[in-house]
Amino acid sequence: MNKSIFMDPVTALAWEKHALDQIKVDGQYRLLVWEPETSVMVLPTGPRWKMPPESTKQMTSYGWQVQYRQTGGSPVPQTPGVINLSMVYAWPKDKPLSMSGSYQLLINLLTQWLAHYGIQGGTGEVEGAYCNGAYNFVIKEQKLIGTAQRISSNTNQQYFVLAHAFILFDADILQLIKAVNHCYQSLNLTEVFDTSAMTSLTQLDPQLKGKKASLIENLECTAHAILKAHSQQ
């Protein structure tokens, strides 16, 4: 495994787009575990989230670049201390496409991975959490992991899933919340988010701070095993 997973977020987002294009050609699943080397506010595409130039400059003055991606429903702050899992895979041709089913595959993967560290949780919305949704991975009513996905297809009506999880490892949650609140204010949106709604792996277990490399390797191995099994269905 590559010892460093730090990556320019722009490069990582480009990887996702390229991987989705490639799987439509060769059908091979792909995954990437990465950590942003700079701070970037990633917004969904769509008119609601189109940030005017003056707001983009304002975010830059706070130390945050602005980028857009085609998964997710609301802004997500990406900064060192956030571990990301991005993956693309084919949905079995003989199974009806299921949005809940593809989300559950990602949740099962995360559940299996975290079980190695004695961490158990569930899914659901958390009041005050940013990028809130039914498939948050939640520990004791705090959001630990956010998930998103996009479904695409090729000319043969084969469906493909681009799935993504952002995992709070040891990021400064106060700074993340401040950045998201600044983002919403700059877009003239009224939502306000709260640090108490979020948690991180090192807050849950400070000993994980020294186990980052093995934790990442375990995440990759778990993801490969689950995607390989899924591709053989």
Side-chain angles (χ1 to χ4, degrees), residues 21-30 88-90 154 158 160 231:
D21 289 340
Q22 285 297 108
I23 196 173
K24 293 178 184 179
V25 176
D26 59 24
Q28 299 297 310
Y29 81 80
R30 292 169 172 82
V88 295
Y89 62 92
N154 62 12
Q158 169 79 48
F160 304 94
S231 68

Side-chain angles (χ1 to χ4, degrees), residues 93-201:
K93 291 183 178 180
D94 60 348
K95 292 179 64 175
L97 179 64
S98 167
M99 295 290 286
S100 61
S102 54
Y103 264 117
Q104 196 59 52
L105 182 145
L106 179 57
I107 294 299
N108 290 346
L109 186 164
L110 296 168
T111 299
Q112 184 175 323
W113 169 58
L114 290 172
H116 288 93
Y117 308 97
I119 297 174
Q120 297 180 329
T123 56
E125 296 189 13
V126 177
E127 185 177 356
Y130 62 79
C131 197
N132 207 2
Y135 291 96
N136 294 331
F137 196 95
V138 179
I139 311 289
K140 297 179 181 178
E141 300 183 354
Q142 291 181 301
K143 178 173 179 173
L144 172 67
I145 303 173
T147 63
Q149 66 178 15
R150 175 191 173 199
I151 308 295
S152 189
S153 63
N154 62 12
T155 55
N156 296 322
Q157 294 302 303
Q158 169 79 48
Y159 291 104
F160 304 94
V161 181
L162 165 60
H164 175 256
F166 71 81
I167 303 155
L168 299 186
F169 177 69
D170 62 353
D172 185 333
I173 291 175
L174 176 59
Q175 294 306 312
L176 298 181
I177 293 294
K178 283 183 176 180
V180 177
N181 284 337
H182 280 313
C183 178
Y184 273 71
Q185 290 167 10
S186 69
L187 291 166
N188 296 315
L189 299 173
T190 59
E191 290 96 328
V192 178
F193 305 98
D194 194 319
T195 56
S196 66
M198 314 292 293
T199 191
S200 69
L201 283 173

Side-chain angles (χ1 to χ4, degrees), residues 44-55:
T45 55
R48 184 185 188 215
W49 305 110
K50 186 63 176 177
M51 190 172 284
E54 58 272 20
S55 297

Side-chain angles (χ1 to χ4, degrees), residues 3-58:
K3 295 298 182 182
S4 175
I5 63 167
F6 282 103
M7 182 177 288
D8 177 5
V10 176
T11 301
L13 297 180
W15 180 94
E16 292 181 348
K17 183 178 184 303
H18 179 70
L20 188 58
D21 289 340
Q22 285 297 108
I23 196 173
K24 293 178 184 179
V25 176
D26 59 24
Q28 299 297 310
Y29 81 80
R30 292 169 172 82
L31 67 89
L32 178 69
V33 177
W34 60 280
E35 182 176 358
E37 60 186 12
T38 58
S39 296
V40 176
M41 186 64 64
V42 182
L43 281 71
T45 55
R48 184 185 188 215
W49 305 110
K50 186 63 176 177
M51 190 172 284
E54 58 272 20
S55 297
T56 301
K57 290 180 181 178
Q58 186 179 45

